[in-house]
Structure formats: C-alpha cells, structure tokens
Amino acid sequence: MRAHEAGWAHAEGARGPAWLREPADTNALVQHLWSATAHKTDGDLHVGGMAVADVVAEHNTPAYLLDEVDFRQRARAFREAFSDFDVYYAGKAFLCTTVARWVTEEGLRLDVCSDGELTVALRAGVDPARIGYHGNNKSMIELRRAVATGVGRIIVDSFHEIARLRTITAETGLDARVMVRVTAGVEAHTHEYIATAHEDQKFGFSITNGDAFDAVRAVTGAPGLQLLGLHSHIGSQIFDSSGFEVAARRVLALHARISEELGVEMPEMDLGGGFGIAYTTQDDPSEPAQLATELTKIVEHECRALAVAVPHLSIEPGRAIVGPAMCTVYTVGTVKKVALDGGVSRTYVSVDGGMSDNIRTALYDADYSCTLASRASSAPAVLARVVGKHCEAGDIVVKDEFLPSDVAPGDLLAVPGTGAYCRSMASNYNHALRPPVIAVRDGVARVVVRRETEDDLLSTDVGADQ
Ligand code: LLP
C-alpha cells in the first residue's frame, strides 16, 4: 500500500496530504474522476441526464448512482481495445442481473468467484460457456454445479480442487475446461510492484516451488479435464505495466517448459485484471488502448524469445469498468469542528452512510474525493473529513477533501469512483440497510438493486416473530 500521507498538522500547515491541492473553485468537478455524463449546473450535480437532487427526492440517500452510458462505454472500450483478447468482466467488483446483461450486450464475458455470483449470472441469462469461475476453495457442490451448467472455464487453485473435478467428471461423464492459476511471484499495487517476495499468500500454484508444473501435469493426467492454459492475476489498482511484464515473463517461461517437457500445447493464457482508476487527482490511469498495446507487446516479445506460439489471451478487468461509473450520494447530517494540536482544526462532516456502504477507506486506507451536489457555494474552502454514522472512529468515507465552509445539514454530498468493491463489499454493520443502486440514463432513473428494508434485516432473525 501507499505510504501514509503527511499528517494534518504537518509543518506545511493544515493543508491535508501533500497531493491534495486546494481547488480554485470548490463547486467545480474534477471531471476525470467522474462518470461520462456527470456535470454540474448552478451547483447541482447531474448524472445520466438527471439532477441528483431529483433522484434523491424519489429514492432518498444514501444511494449509489450508476451511469449506464459510462459503464457501457468503458466495457466497450476494453472490448474494442482488446479485440484479439477475450475480456471477462470481474463480477466481484459489482454484480447484479442488470449489469450482467449489459456486460453480455457489450460483448464481454463474465468472471465469477462464488456460487452466489454464478447464481446472479445464470439468472441474468449469461451463457455459461462465457463464464469463468474463480476461487481458492471451491466446494464439491460448487464445482458440480459449475460442471453441470457448462461453465466455460474453471480456474483451479489447489490440488484438492483438481481431485474434486476429476471425481465429478468421472461420475458425470461431463468434461471440465480448466485453467491453472499460478503465482508469478509478483504482487503489484498502485505505483509499484514487488517481484519474488509475494509467494506467501493463498492464491495460485507457485511457479518457483514446482507446484504449478505439477498442477498442469495433474490436469493433463485427468481424462475429463481439458487444459486451456495458465492464469495469472498479480494485484489490483495497478498503473505500471512493469509488474505485468515480470509476471508474463515468468508465466510464459512455464508455458514454454510445459510445451517442451510435457508436449502439451496450451491454447490460452489469462493475464488477470487489476487495471487502476483515478480516485483522486494523485492517480493517473492508462486508457484501455494503451494497456492493450503494452500487454500485447510484452507477450509477443516473450513468446518470440521463447520460440513459442502466442496463446489466445484474456483479461479480467473489474474496477476499471464499473469503478468510475458509479458515485455515492449522501445527505449531510451534522458538521463539527474539532480542535487539533497546533491551533488548527478539522471539520468533520457526518453523512447518512459510511463504512457499511464503503469499507475501502477503513480497510485499505483508500483515498476518495467528494463534492457538494445540491447547490453552489461561494464560501471559502475548508479542509474536511467526511465520516459515516457508524459507531466506530475509523468510519471514514473521505479522509481529506476541500469543501465549502458553509457545508451544512441537508446538503447532498457525492463521492465519485465508488462502483467497484463498495456495494459488493457493503455490510449491515449497525443493522444499516444497504443502499440501492440506481441506474441513470437519458433522464431516467431505474432502480437495479433496491434499498434493503427493515423486513429484509429481520428476515434472517428467527426470533423476530416470536
Ligand atoms: N481477476 C482475479 C482473479 C481477481 O482476483 C480480481 C480481483 C480481478 C480479476 C479484478 O480485479 P480489478 O480489475 O477489479 O482490480 N476489494 C479490493 C480489491 C480486491 C480484488 C480481488 N480480485 C479493493 O476494493 O480494492
């Protein structure tokens, strides 16, 4: 993870982290952090042709607004830039039946990593042959279902799983198409990657200790298993292709060794997901076209050096498609100025959601930005911290942002870039009702995931009706 920012009462003064610049106008959107159709008119944020305040008037807050045009544009941009690849949308970032259908309509495939995600995909009518199934601990029940429904590829992650699939295919007479998840010994985050040191995690078969080679041999020795190729995913929120380069070199070296020593030609290879997005002004992501060019170049170069045919490639972007397509809208409930050492103060703006709808700030020290969404203000900027309403001091949504100093109860705040891993990791902490996802497009708002109700909350509480 990135090092922590300089503290609030840093020698430079109460200006927040070093990367955060005070905007000339707090009303202005930093456009590239927002979805394609987001803009402000007289201080009112609009998304998908709807004034956010109007959506809120009908659907209340907190709410996730999903810009359908933006989602489709990003999906299409990956599809077109990676036209020689198969592109699997990583459903773990955010999945519901509507989004699964959009993904299919835009020509993408779908990566699921649990029985629940598979259920959503199948309910949406996604062709099972276009589904990839991940997970490091798939049960017999899950694998049976995956094989029976004809999932296009199962990415195996342990010898136990290979044995389970062997049993299932022998019992049913069905085939399973398999990729072997390998650990390339590379873990990449934001602006850096570290090679060699990251074998110590639960995913994948190690290339270094020979497990990956043995796993391939085990798959090829199982009559019902059809080996498609190797799979490598090196991390998330990556901006630098050098991590992919090191991983590709290692995975392709194994690919070539398997061809030479086992005489097995694997037709495919997956390079995983992890392409970074801009959460704040400090992030500078690449366009899909640039990523495609870089990844293709890396693989072709390595294949030439190894004298092997270039396998059919696939990728699995999640965040880069859905992340920027959503924003979360909250209502301000309280504002509080807290004195800090050195004669400075911090303005705490409490909103009606928090770590139950966005755990990423607390969990990963993630940075977000936000804007006043329901009016223009000419008040001077104040450095604020946006916090939730949960009973926990770490319940922070936006650590540092300049907001107009007259921010007040009743104002709407919107946080961009919340499409990935926010609703999908949302919880009922403090018995919060998880917010709806509202798709907005051409002036129409459509609830695609409704807000939870108290009945939903109580539905699993068996004592509730006694
Ligand atoms: N493929 C595999 C095998 C993965 O494990 C993941 C993410 C992806 C694709 C998609 O990665 P993306 O393009 O969305 O970065 N909860 C964390 C991220 C966990 C990612 C897990 N795997 C977060 O909120 O940052």
Side-chain angles (χ1 to χ4, degrees):
M1 294 306 265
R2 168 184 319 130
H4 278 249
E5 73 274 17
W8 171 275
H10 186 257
E12 289 172 24
R15 307 316 313 156
W19 56 265
L20 186 65
R21 298 274 171 274
E22 182 173 336
D25 175 10
T26 54
N27 298 296
L29 291 185
V30 179
Q31 200 63 50
H32 72 278
L33 305 181
W34 291 83
S35 63
T37 69
H39 65 92
K40 275 192 176 176
T41 306
D42 298 330
D44 285 332
L45 179 65
H46 288 67
V47 185
M50 297 282 298
V52 166
D54 290 342
V55 181
V56 167
E58 189 170 347
H59 299 285
N60 211 344
T61 55
Y64 303 98
L65 300 193
L66 169 57
D67 185 338
E68 178 176 350
V69 166
D70 185 273
F71 182 96
R72 287 183 182 271
Q73 273 177 10
R74 286 177 204 277
R76 209 171 303 151
F78 269 98
R79 179 61 269 144
E80 286 168 3
F82 286 87
S83 56
D84 295 338
F85 291 52
D86 287 331
V87 181
Y88 286 77
Y89 169 69
K92 68 204 81 182
F94 173 72
L95 192 65
C96 65
T97 51
T98 303
V99 158
R101 289 185 191 113
W102 294 351
V103 164
T104 303
E105 285 162 14
E106 297 302 336
L108 276 66
R109 296 165 181 248
L110 186 64
D111 150 24
V112 301
C113 67
S114 71
D115 208 32
E117 288 180 5
L118 181 62
T119 298
V120 174
L122 295 177
R123 183 64 71 91
V126 178
D127 176 1
R130 295 172 67 84
I131 296 176
Y133 198 145
H134 271 284
N136 65 302
N137 182 15
K138 303 181 205 70
S139 67
M140 261 320 232
I141 291 173
E142 290 169 325
L143 290 169
R144 268 189 213 289
R145 185 177 181 209
V147 173
T149 50
V151 159
R153 63 187 205 183
I154 298 171
I155 296 88
V156 295
D157 198 320
S158 71
F159 290 109
H160 293 291
E161 199 179 340
I162 296 171
R164 284 174 199 157
L165 281 176
R166 212 188 160 112
T167 306
I168 292 165
T169 51
E171 270 174 21
T172 59
L174 297 167
D175 278 352
R177 285 161 302 281
V178 163
M179 295 194 97
V180 173
R181 170 109 183 231
V182 302
T183 313
V186 175
E187 187 171 287
H189 291 296
T190 311
H191 292 292
E192 98 285 2
Y193 75 90
I194 305 165
T196 72
H198 288 82
E199 297 271 330
D200 189 8
Q201 44 100 0
K202 69 174 182 174
F203 290 112
F205 291 98
S206 165
I207 296 179
T208 315
N209 75 3
D211 277 356
F213 188 85
D214 292 345
V216 166
R217 204 171 17 208
V219 170
T220 55
L225 304 194
Q226 187 187 325
L227 178 65
L228 297 177
L230 303 177
H231 185 293
S232 154
H233 171 78
I234 58 170
S236 246
Q237 186 62 354
I238 303 167
F239 293 144
D240 180 356
S241 65
S242 55
F244 286 106
E245 189 168 348
V246 176
R249 205 175 298 138
R250 293 181 177 177
V251 178
L252 280 161
L254 176 65
H255 179 93
R257 188 182 150 214
I258 287 162
S259 157
E260 199 178 301
E261 293 183 25
L262 299 180
V264 172
E265 301 302 332
M266 293 181 288
E268 299 188 20
M269 179 173 292
D270 191 294
L271 304 174
F275 313 111
I277 64 166
Y279 286 104
T280 66
T281 51
Q282 65 192 317
D283 301 323
D284 186 18
S286 303
E287 293 297 320
Q290 190 187 338
L291 293 168
T293 307
E294 284 174 6
L295 292 187
T296 306
K297 207 168 100 193
I298 290 166
V299 173
E300 284 178 352
H301 178 268
E302 287 306 313
C303 286
R304 235 189 337 269
L306 292 160
V308 292
V310 179
H312 182 64
L313 297 171
S314 51
I315 50 164
E316 297 172 337
R319 185 191 320 260
I321 293 175
V322 72
M326 270 198 232
C327 65
T328 312
V329 186
Y330 302 100
T331 303
V332 174
T334 61
V335 180
K336 195 187 274 184
K337 227 174 172 181
V338 175
L340 304 174
D341 291 345
V344 292
S345 62
R346 192 198 299 280
T347 299
Y348 277 85
V349 178
S350 295
V351 295
D352 51 354
M355 65 196 301
S356 55
D357 59 73
N358 185 352
I359 191 65
R360 297 193 69 261
T361 308
L363 197 55
Y364 310 119
D365 199 26
D367 291 307
Y368 283 91
S369 71
C370 66
T371 194
L372 182 57
S374 47
R375 66 182 170 90
S377 169
S378 53
V382 62
L383 191 55
R385 175 161 289 179
V386 179
V387 296
K389 62 180 295 172
H390 295 281
C391 287
E392 194 154 323
D395 172 27
I396 299 170
V397 180
V398 182
K399 282 183 286 180
D400 300 285
E401 178 61 289
F402 286 98
L403 288 174
S405 56
D406 62 354
V407 61
D411 282 337
L412 298 181
L413 283 189
V415 177
T418 56
Y421 307 105
C422 288
R423 181 57 177 80
S424 69
M425 293 175 77
S427 75
N428 292 118
Y429 184 40
N430 295 149
H431 281 187
L433 304 172
R434 286 179 297 177
V437 179
I438 303 168
V440 283
R441 178 183 177 165
D442 299 335
V444 178
R446 180 163 64 109
V447 175
V448 295
V449 178
R450 69 158 169 77
R451 187 183 303 284
E452 284 181 328
T453 63
E454 285 185 352
D455 284 343
D456 290 329
L457 268 188
L458 292 173
S459 65
T460 52
D461 184 336
V462 293
D465 292 325
Q466 287 169 11

